């Protein structure tokens, strides 16, 4: 979003702070833009839960936004071969766009997270939809600065149901 300023006889278009911040975040992580505003989030989650029940996997529900440095940073890690192999074996991954924490909040509430305190918020779900990480789900808002091995170990610890 831009606004216009009239200065010294010139009309200038200047980006708002929010627009400038979003553009900067997208420039920092051009490789990872998994959050789609137009996605049918509830339908996609229900389908992932159904697939997880058949494949004995967990559902990794990542609630974030493309403007968010940490949301995109975590998604970037997930694209790396080391992470991709582990995640594919253990999870059905769903990315849900939460905008500026004003979209799809009902989904977080469905799984016991009353509010999105920061992005990303990362829910690990059983195939039946039980939240397996209620205390750590909202703690990922520093994902881009976390240690690679710590991130890997965290997600690797959740084993599929027997």
């Amino acid at each position: 979003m831009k606004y216009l300023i009239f200065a010294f006889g010139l009309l200038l278009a200047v980006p708002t702070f929010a627009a400038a911040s979003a553009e900067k975040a997208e420039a920092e992580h051009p490789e990872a833009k998994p959050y789609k505003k137009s996605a049918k989030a509830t339908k996609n989650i229900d389908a992932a839960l159904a697939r997880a029940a058949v494949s004995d996997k967990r559902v990794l529900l990542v609630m974030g936004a493309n403007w968010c440095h940490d949301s995109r940073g975590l998604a970037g890690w997930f694209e790396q071969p080391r992470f991709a192999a582990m995640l594919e074996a253990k999870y059905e991954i769903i990315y849900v766009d939460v905008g500026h924490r004003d979209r799809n909040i009902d989904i977080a509430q469905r799984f016991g997270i009353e509010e999105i305190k920061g992005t990303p918020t990362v829910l690990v779900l059983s195939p039946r939809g039980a939240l397996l990480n209620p205390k750590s789900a909202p703690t990922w808002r520093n994902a881009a600065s976390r240690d690679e091995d710590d991130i890997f170990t965290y997600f690797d610890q959740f084993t599929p149901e027997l």
Side-chain angles (χ1 to χ4, degrees), residues 17-39:
F17 178 74
S21 295
E23 289 171 11
K24 181 179 182 228
E26 289 198 21
E28 290 173 352
H29 288 284
E31 76 287 352
K33 293 184 183 180
Y35 305 94
K36 308 291 184 220
K37 182 178 179 179
S38 63

Side-chain angles (χ1 to χ4, degrees), residues 105-136:
I105 305 307
D106 60 315
I107 292 170
Q109 293 168 344
R110 170 183 171 184
F111 297 108
I113 303 293
E114 289 304 313
E115 65 179 316
I116 301 291
K117 295 179 181 177
T119 54
T121 296
V122 182
L123 288 68
V124 178
L125 306 171
S126 76
R128 293 181 307 281
L131 181 61
L132 302 175
N133 66 331
K135 290 184 181 178
S136 60

Side-chain angles (χ1 to χ4, degrees), residues 34-141:
Y35 305 94
K36 308 291 184 220
K37 182 178 179 179
S38 63
K40 300 196 180 324
T42 299
K43 181 179 175 183
N44 294 342
I45 293 164
D46 291 342
L49 288 166
R51 288 190 308 271
V54 172
S55 63
D56 293 323
K57 293 182 179 183
R58 305 287 190 199
V59 173
L60 187 56
L61 175 55
V62 186
M63 303 188 75
N66 286 334
W67 61 262
C68 173
H69 171 76
D70 291 296
S71 295
R72 294 178 69 193
L74 185 61
W77 279 119
F78 287 175
E79 292 176 355
Q80 299 302 311
R82 174 185 183 204
F83 283 87
M86 180 269 294
L87 294 170
E88 183 178 341
K90 292 185 168 209
Y91 295 98
E92 293 289 335
I93 302 174
I94 300 293
Y95 293 97
V96 172
D97 179 40
V98 296
H100 288 276
R101 298 180 307 195
D102 59 358
R103 185 179 308 121
N104 291 318
I105 305 307
D106 60 315
I107 292 170
Q109 293 168 344
R110 170 183 171 184
F111 297 108
I113 303 293
E114 289 304 313
E115 65 179 316
I116 301 291
K117 295 179 181 177
T119 54
T121 296
V122 182
L123 288 68
V124 178
L125 306 171
S126 76
R128 293 181 307 281
L131 181 61
L132 302 175
N133 66 331
K135 290 184 181 178
S136 60
T139 66
W140 287 91
R141 59 183 175 240

Side-chain angles (χ1 to χ4, degrees), residues 1-3 13-20 23:
M1 173 134 1
K2 297 184 182 213
Y3 61 94
V14 179
T16 63
F17 178 74
E23 289 171 11

